[in-house]
Amino acid sequence: MQKSYSRLLGIVGKPNTGKSTFFSAATLAPAEIANYPFTTIKPNRGIGYVRTPCVHEEFNVKDNPLNSLCLDGVRLIPVEFIDCAGLVPGAWQGRGLGNQFLDEIRKADALIHIVDASGGTDSEGRLCKIGEHDPLEDVTFLEHEITMWMANILKRDWPKIARTVESESKDLFNMLEERLSGLAIKRSHIFEAARRTELNAEKPVAWSDDDFLKFVDMLRQVSKPMLIVANKIDIPAAEENLERLKKLNYLVVSSCSEAELALRRAAEKQLIDYRPGDCNFKIEHPEKLMESQIHALETIREKILLKFGSTGVQEAVNMAFFKLLNMITVYPVEDLEHLADHNARVLPDAYLVPYGTTARQLAYIIHTELGEGFIYAIEARERKRVGEDYILKDRDVVSIVSAKKRA
Ligand SMILES: Nc1nc2c(ncn2[C@@H]2O[C@H](COP(=O)(O)OP(=O)(O)OP(=O)(O)O)[C@@H](O)[C@H]2O)c(=O)[nH]1
Ligand SMILES: [Mg+2]
């Protein structure tokens, strides 16, 4: 498989909520898991997958994927995950492992906030009585920590930036874009944050400290969109908190990361037939399992899969890309007749691109020269010629015709 992962999801939250369990379940990469705070000291990185129905059946071809996988009609597109150390109040000022953690999420496209929905861990991640801690507090706290971290980065240069905008008539958006490029913050994010806060971008010197913080907080929301995973849903007290979390202004997915990890590991050893995100599984080799293992698997089936529809881990990953980041999947091909690349690989690649991406922009994403020499594209489903401004649809298969070829 090609080793280029253009998407990064940051797994964040206070200590001991199940971040590493979620990470391991999503990636099958090893990570230390334990029921005390700060188990993770150094961030873990791994590859997981976005799951989408593959187009090969619809086109009646046998595919041969290169940048992704296809399992019984399910296309799995690799994305990178980073599992961070737990964040405690005051992290932005360096408390706990705070700053180190925050630096790790600079490049993230989106954040998955793992919350202990059972309320069995306090604000620093220490075990407490189930239901004693209110997980809604964890949401406000995390927002605050990330906003303050960003504000701190920007604060040093802010007076100079604001003065230059006014005295030299420079564009605030250009200046901030340059300053914030290391945080994967784009011009469109900065523009959107100014628009939503209704602050005057031509007179930043007049912004009060509160205005500045309001702006940075909005910048966090648009540049690091976040979804909430209400984890430990197997603990009965979690269900009530799940309903309360759903009333916040966030996408919320309930999960039992522990169950997903057990299922993925059993599937890896070919003991069960289970694909991430499935609503059920089949025990393949009962003779290879101990009675206690069969009992544990059956409990997961009954208490999680049949009750909630899935463990929630794959659902959260998919929701991050398809709902939070509003992405679609597209399949570029070179040879329209066989839906193949120049090596005769059928439907080799599936790309995740933001909705609104045009045919020409896709060409640029694939290769600069393909974009520069773009003439037209052909949409394979209707075999229709489309121009550079054609907005791609989810599951489009397109062939790009360009005056320039890849070097
Ligand atoms: N009941 C239940 N426990 C879980 C679940 N997911 C994780 N845990 C447990 O929660 C504890 C903490 O899990 P970790 O994955 O180490 O948590 P973390 O957030 O990475 O912790 P730090 O690295 O210390 O910040 C472990 O005892 C896990 O077994 C779940 O879905 N249900
Ligand atoms: Mg951890």
Side-chain angles (χ1 to χ4, degrees):
M1 213 192 308
Q2 241 172 12
K3 292 275 176 264
S4 65
Y5 311 107
S6 52
R7 303 290 165 197
L8 179 65
L9 278 184
I11 301 176
V12 298
K14 72 178 185 188
N16 215 1
T17 58
K19 295 182 298 300
S20 298
T21 312
F22 182 97
F23 166 83
S24 258
T27 62
L28 276 184
E32 206 177 328
I33 295 168
N35 69 344
Y36 47 79
F38 297 123
T39 304
T40 305
I41 299 171
K42 286 214 174 107
N44 301 301
R45 278 178 178 265
I47 305 302
Y49 299 90
V50 172
R51 172 182 173 143
T52 170
C54 184
V55 292
H56 81 260
E57 280 174 6
E58 182 194 335
F59 283 91
N60 208 11
V61 290
K62 200 173 169 304
D63 61 356
N64 191 1
L66 185 66
N67 85 339
S68 41
L69 307 167
C70 186
L71 286 185
D72 307 329
V74 174
R75 193 52 88 111
L76 299 167
I77 308 171
V79 289
E80 196 173 3
F81 289 75
I82 180 154
D83 165 37
C84 300
L87 204 66
V88 290
W92 68 276
Q93 291 159 308
R95 253 196 98 219
L97 301 167
N99 280 331
Q100 179 202 330
F101 147 81
L102 287 162
D103 272 357
E104 294 297 333
I105 60 161
R106 279 168 185 268
K107 294 266 154 60
D109 293 293
L111 303 176
I112 292 192
H113 182 185
I114 311 283
V115 171
D116 174 357
S118 77
T121 39
D122 71 10
S123 59
E124 311 241 331
R126 290 176 295 241
L127 292 178
C128 62
K129 235 173 72 197
I130 296 288
E132 197 169 83
H133 180 79
D134 183 357
L136 269 67
E137 280 175 25
D138 299 340
V139 177
T140 348
F141 134 78
L142 197 85
E143 290 169 346
H144 178 72
E145 290 302 325
I146 300 177
T147 297
M148 293 309 287
W149 164 69
M150 277 189 179
N152 213 28
I153 291 176
L154 200 54
K155 212 169 178 175
R156 269 168 279 159
D157 300 337
W158 178 249
K160 195 168 156 225
I161 291 175
R163 271 200 315 273
T164 315
V165 168
E166 296 205 22
S167 61
E168 295 173 30
S169 300
K170 287 236 168 105
D171 184 40
L172 177 68
F173 303 117
N174 282 346
M175 296 200 68
L176 286 181
E177 187 183 16
E178 208 172 289
R179 181 66 193 83
L180 295 170
S181 62
L183 270 65
I185 294 179
K186 300 195 189 88
R187 188 184 166 83
S188 58
H189 296 138
I190 302 166
F191 190 77
E192 188 59 16
R195 190 185 70 79
R196 290 203 207 170
T197 45
E198 296 181 349
L199 289 163
N200 187 347
E202 281 165 20
K203 299 238 170 297
V205 172
W207 293 12
S208 67
D209 286 354
D210 273 358
D211 289 340
F212 174 75
L213 270 187
K214 206 165 82 178
F215 171 73
V216 177
D217 191 54
M218 190 56 81
L219 197 54
R220 168 188 64 75
Q221 291 177 48
V222 294
S223 67
K224 301 278 176 240
M226 186 149 77
L227 79 77
I228 294 180
V229 167
N231 194 35
K232 307 192 186 177
I233 197 68
D234 50 302
I235 302 177
E239 281 181 61
E240 197 187 321
N241 282 327
L242 169 67
E243 292 313 312
R244 294 174 60 239
L245 284 163
K246 280 185 180 164
K247 294 200 177 102
L248 301 177
N249 198 13
Y250 277 102
L251 288 168
V252 181
V253 184
S254 66
S255 92
C256 180
S257 307
E258 231 171 33
E260 178 72 12
L261 185 56
L263 294 176
R264 292 279 310 262
R265 284 188 175 154
E268 192 187 29
K269 291 186 195 125
Q270 294 177 347
L271 297 169
I272 63 170
D273 181 13
Y274 172 77
R275 290 167 309 184
D278 278 356
C279 59
N280 211 334
F281 63 86
K282 202 170 126 221
I283 296 185
E284 297 276 36
H285 297 287
E287 71 285 357
K288 290 190 189 161
L289 287 162
M290 287 185 303
E291 213 162 290
S292 60
Q293 288 174 307
I294 293 182
H295 178 73
L297 287 169
E298 289 304 339
T299 308
I300 291 175
R301 192 194 318 266
E302 188 191 328
K303 297 262 160 61
I304 304 293
L305 297 181
L306 297 182
K307 185 166 173 193
F308 296 101
S310 76
T311 66
V313 171
Q314 187 63 49
E315 196 185 336
V317 176
N318 270 30
M319 203 181 264
F321 286 96
F322 296 134
K323 288 211 176 144
L324 193 65
L325 293 169
N326 218 358
M327 290 194 159
I328 57 167
T329 46
V330 289
Y331 298 74
V333 295
E334 288 173 48
D335 167 1
L336 193 71
E337 211 48 53
H338 303 96
L339 303 182
D341 65 7
H342 56 276
N343 289 322
R345 287 186 85 121
V346 177
L347 295 169
D349 299 334
Y351 279 65
L352 280 169
V353 296
Y355 178 71
T357 300
T358 62
R360 186 166 202 162
Q361 283 167 340
L362 175 69
Y364 269 109
I365 293 171
I366 298 168
H367 203 276
T368 313
E369 279 151 25
L370 207 62
E372 283 170 354
F374 183 96
I375 306 172
Y376 62 89
I378 297 173
E379 186 274 293
R381 201 168 271 112
E382 292 181 24
R383 295 201 157 247
K384 185 178 71 182
R385 194 166 157 153
V386 294
E388 60 178 351
D389 293 333
Y390 171 74
I391 293 188
L392 296 159
K393 294 193 302 295
D394 190 32
R395 311 178 76 235
D396 262 357
V397 177
V398 285
S399 173
I400 290 159
V401 178
S402 174
K404 288 190 184 177
K405 285 267 175 222
R406 289 183 203 199

